[in-house]
Amino acid sequence: MTSNRLAWQALQPDAESFQPLFSRVFSDNVGDILPDVQPRLFDAASLLHNSSAPFSLMLIRCAENSENLSLLAQTLQHNSSQTEALYGGNYLINDEQITWQPAKSADDPFASRGGVHFADWIESEQLFGCVRIFSQRISLQPGLIHRANGGILMLSLRALLAQPLLWLRLKQTIAQQRFDWLSPDESRPLPVTIPSMPLQLKLVLCGDRDALADFQEMEPELAALAIYSEYEESLQLDEEEDMALWCRWVTALAQQAGLPPIAADFWPALLQEAVRYSGDRETLPLCPAWLGRQLRDAALYGEQLDAAALQAALDARLWRESFLPDRMRDEILLDQVLIETEGAVVGQINGLSVIEFPGHPRAFGEPSRISCVVHVGDGEFTDVERKAELGGNIHAKGMMIMQAFLIAELELDQQLPFSASLVFEQSYSEVDGDSASLAELCALVSALAGEPINQQIAVTGSVDQFGHVQPVGGLNEKIEGFFEICQQRGLTGQQGVIIPAANVRHLCLQQQIVDAVQAGEFHIWAVSEVDEALPLLTGVPWKKDDAPCLLQTIQARITEFNQQEARQRPWPLRWLNWFNHS
């Protein structure tokens, strides 16, 4: 049998091949590197700048935080040509008479040279300005819309969707290309007549996909005509120049934040954390908020940005956020939650789960005991989680796919004479997802064949109807959760985890696990088919023509049961059964 065991080198991203690159000194400004990092966004920004439509609108899919909006503003500003033209003007207030005059100087309160202006949250007064009356004297205060006159106004979609009346007024103002003053109190008109103000404005709205979908539903015609783009939050690592681009981007963010220089040994440590964040070795995060946090935290633990400073920051963060995972791990070590890591049991297997608690900052992995019992029946497979209304739709789908594979493999010409019941033991909340379907299938096969499963091995992965093992999420957390239990109880050298082969590219494990695998104290196997996982768990192959196998054992058990059942039937029924088979 081909070995599926992974070498320790496969458990983390390959930083060694990039060492010459990491030794280079990068000195880019954020504005200079933005076109390389966000080429699609730059193309859309150029199109917006050259647009002559009466209502120029651009929609950008991005996270609505100040770091992203600031970078988007720099992107849009980079595409906007600098001009000396003045927009807007000034209001002359003479007692109860107000007149408007075009701008003569940049010092005029309502004068603007365009540019890019943004806000992540706005109120009516902040956006449109206001009319103030104090001691019978009237004053006009400009808003964000006046400062952006002749340029680009960038706003958060979330803020506008939460204030529909504000959006209606903004839309009307931009479409009519003039600004009309309104009384803040609808029951009272303005004390004086205030002339309208000419306005030329291009609008950029930023939000996540849900916000964009809500806007599309609210304004289908505008959304159809808008320029669309995305702020790309990740970089695909296809060649060495992509890694160089990522290093330049991180360096530019550090310089913009006024942080110390980055040492060469900082990059492998940051690369590992970046892969854990993105979940893929070939994908590196570009999110300025996340990268900024890693850089600022590392700066607190050292005089320069190096590997020691970053690791100290990550260790401190993990310790601060590990109270809940530690308490749940203690429940297992104190045998309050039963997880076997020694011996072999029929119909029982260690599945791997990722737990996300509301209000907790990080997901963590935890093993789950999955058990299966088989009894005489009509071939029904009972999903206890579903019956108890604790199983989600995706989990139910995985169960049905697993059953379809098994029935097809058995090639029965009659109904299966056994029924089975599968359950997540000591599970008191909803279970969803299909990542346990491989473990459930192995537990079912074990129960049907009567072959015990090695409890030193945990399993994760989903299966399709043909027995192919498919990738799952949260892989690193799952492996680390089982390893912690094994390590606390004592590593035996036989413990490990079975994962889908398609998930190998997602591996980025903690150093202690890499060291344990290198020392032969822990193992990780990558499988592509169900018949590769079953021999590792039971020591018996799934299907083999010239040797005993699990499939033959199950078929023999079914045949034996049918013969016993036939002998117990009255003779007229036995004669009828013979007639039906002849």
Side-chain angles (χ1 to χ4, degrees):
M1 183 178 66
T2 304
S3 175
N4 309 99
R5 186 180 301 170
L6 297 179
W8 64 271
Q9 294 92 338
L11 307 184
Q12 289 181 337
D14 178 22
E16 191 67 30
S17 60
F18 295 107
Q19 285 301 332
L21 177 65
F22 293 156
S23 301
R24 289 167 49 183
V25 177
F26 304 97
S27 58
D28 291 271
N29 296 319
V30 169
D32 295 334
I33 194 176
L34 271 171
D36 299 325
V37 174
Q38 301 290 339
R40 291 185 178 90
L41 185 60
F42 256 72
D43 181 75
S46 176
L47 188 60
L48 176 70
H49 174 68
N50 296 322
S51 173
S52 58
F55 197 120
S56 298
L57 174 65
M58 181 175 178
L59 300 174
I60 302 179
R61 201 286 310 165
C62 73
E64 299 175 58
N65 55 56
S66 56
E67 291 89 348
N68 276 356
L69 293 179
S70 176
L71 285 171
L72 289 174
Q74 293 185 50
T75 304
L76 296 169
Q77 188 68 54
H78 192 277
N79 280 273
S80 300
S81 57
Q82 299 297 322
T83 177
E84 296 298 322
L86 282 174
Y87 300 87
N90 190 23
Y91 284 97
L92 301 179
I93 303 175
N94 184 14
D95 293 332
E96 295 185 357
Q97 184 178 3
I98 300 178
T99 58
W100 162 262
Q101 66 177 17
K104 296 180 179 178
S105 168
D107 296 330
D108 290 342
F110 289 88
S112 169
R113 294 194 184 276
V116 180
H117 301 263
F118 71 93
D120 55 356
W121 183 263
I122 47 161
E123 302 290 345
S124 180
E125 184 175 309
Q126 178 190 358
L127 181 61
F128 298 117
C130 65
V131 181
R132 299 188 184 278
I133 303 175
F134 182 73
S135 298
Q136 304 300 318
R137 294 178 61 88
I138 297 176
S139 62
L140 302 179
Q141 301 294 323
L144 186 62
I145 199 170
H146 304 111
R147 293 193 292 273
N149 194 3
I152 297 174
L153 176 62
M154 184 167 60
L155 299 175
S156 161
L157 252 179
R158 177 189 41 162
L160 291 179
L161 292 172
Q163 304 173 86
L165 294 179
L166 191 111
W167 160 246
L168 291 175
R169 184 181 177 189
L170 176 62
K171 180 177 69 169
Q172 183 181 30
T173 299
I174 297 177
Q176 294 179 348
Q177 296 189 336
R178 75 168 189 270
F179 175 76
D180 297 318
W181 292 91
L182 300 178
S183 172
D185 187 352
E186 295 181 357
S187 63
R188 294 183 178 182
L190 289 170
V192 295
T193 300
I194 305 177
S196 298
M197 171 181 169
L199 193 72
Q200 298 181 34
L201 202 62
K202 295 178 180 180
L203 182 62
V204 176
L205 300 179
C206 306
D208 58 22
R209 297 202 189 281
D210 291 336
L212 289 169
D214 291 340
F215 180 80
Q216 186 177 25
E217 184 177 356
M218 183 176 66
E219 296 284 356
E221 295 180 359
L222 276 180
L225 297 175
I227 301 169
Y228 177 84
S229 188
E230 300 209 13
Y231 181 86
E232 300 176 44
E233 296 183 350
S234 61
L235 177 70
Q236 296 302 311
L237 190 61
D238 296 326
E239 52 189 22
E240 185 173 330
E241 284 306 309
D242 296 324
M243 178 64 77
L245 179 61
W246 186 70
C247 293
R248 291 168 56 201
W249 175 244
V250 175
T251 302
L253 293 177
Q255 291 178 350
Q256 187 178 57
L259 298 175
I262 297 178
D265 66 347
F266 180 82
W267 294 112
L270 181 63
L271 174 62
Q272 182 167 344
E273 190 64 17
V275 170
R276 288 183 67 90
Y277 175 75
S278 69
D280 192 332
R281 295 181 191 175
E282 306 301 322
T283 304
L284 299 177
L286 294 174
C287 176
W290 184 85
L291 289 170
R293 183 189 184 190
Q294 315 313 310
L295 295 168
R296 289 190 299 270
D297 286 359
L300 296 174
Y301 286 85
E303 297 182 355
Q304 62 173 347
L305 298 179
D306 55 16
L310 179 58
Q311 193 59 53
L314 295 175
D315 291 343
R317 187 189 305 165
L318 178 62
W319 175 77
R320 290 193 304 269
E321 299 174 354
S322 62
F323 173 80
L324 188 58
D326 287 349
R327 298 292 76 76
M328 298 194 71
R329 194 172 300 121
D330 289 343
E331 293 291 301
I332 296 176
L333 297 174
L334 294 172
D335 292 331
Q336 301 305 298
V337 176
L338 301 180
I339 298 293
E340 301 288 342
T341 54
E342 294 182 359
V345 181
V346 174
Q348 179 177 300
I349 194 169
N350 289 321
L352 297 176
S353 304
V354 170
I355 299 176
E356 297 182 13
F357 271 97
H360 193 267
R362 69 167 68 217
F364 56 92
E366 185 181 64
S368 300
R369 184 160 60 107
I370 301 172
S371 65
C372 177
V373 294
V374 173
H375 51 84
V376 176
D378 57 0
E380 179 185 3
F381 293 87
T382 301
D383 178 4
V384 176
E385 307 299 328
R386 189 68 170 177
K387 290 280 188 180
E389 298 184 354
L390 289 175
N393 293 331
I394 299 177
H395 176 261
K397 176 184 176 183
M399 286 283 295
M400 289 185 282
I401 291 174
M402 172 199 77
Q403 297 165 21
F405 162 77
L406 182 60
I407 292 173
E409 286 287 295
L410 289 173
E411 298 180 341
L412 298 177
D413 56 1
Q414 77 273 1
Q415 185 172 274
L416 185 70
F418 295 105
S419 292
S421 175
L422 287 113
V423 65
F424 275 75
E425 302 287 359
Q426 294 184 280
S427 169
Y428 308 106
S429 58
E430 182 174 328
V431 175
D432 204 1
D434 62 350
S435 63
S437 57
L438 174 60
E440 291 169 326
L441 176 57
C442 293
L444 177 59
V445 169
S446 169
L448 287 172
E451 287 289 345
I453 288 178
N454 186 352
Q455 300 298 295
Q456 298 184 95
I457 301 176
V459 180
T460 185
S462 70
V463 295
D464 64 11
Q465 294 190 115
F466 304 102
H468 304 312
V469 179
Q470 302 168 137
V472 295
L475 190 71
N476 296 303
E477 291 80 5
K478 290 176 179 179
I479 296 174
E480 289 163 1
F482 185 67
F483 175 82
E484 286 287 340
I485 300 300
C486 295
Q487 186 183 49
Q488 292 290 329
R489 291 178 172 175
L491 295 174
T492 65
Q494 304 299 317
Q495 296 150 332
V497 174
I498 295 175
I499 66 170
N503 273 129
V504 173
R505 64 179 293 169
H506 305 133
L507 286 174
C508 187
L509 297 171
Q510 295 172 352
Q511 188 60 43
Q512 60 178 344
I513 301 181
V514 177
D515 295 339
V517 171
Q518 186 176 7
E521 298 174 343
F522 195 77
H523 309 284
I524 297 176
W525 295 273
V527 300
S528 300
E529 306 288 337
V530 171
D531 56 12
E532 296 175 20
L534 286 167
L536 294 171
L537 292 164
T538 64
V540 181
W542 167 241
K543 184 189 299 186
K544 203 166 187 180
D545 296 332
D546 55 350
C549 64
L550 294 170
L551 185 60
Q552 290 179 359
T553 302
I554 296 173
Q555 290 171 332
R557 188 179 180 189
I558 292 172
T559 301
E560 180 182 354
F561 180 84
N562 286 333
Q563 291 174 349
Q564 292 176 354
E565 187 181 42
R567 285 195 297 268
Q568 295 172 359
R569 292 173 184 166
W571 71 266
L573 294 181
R574 293 201 299 269
W575 175 81
L576 182 62
N577 184 67
W578 174 85
F579 179 77
N580 289 333
H581 282 81
S582 60

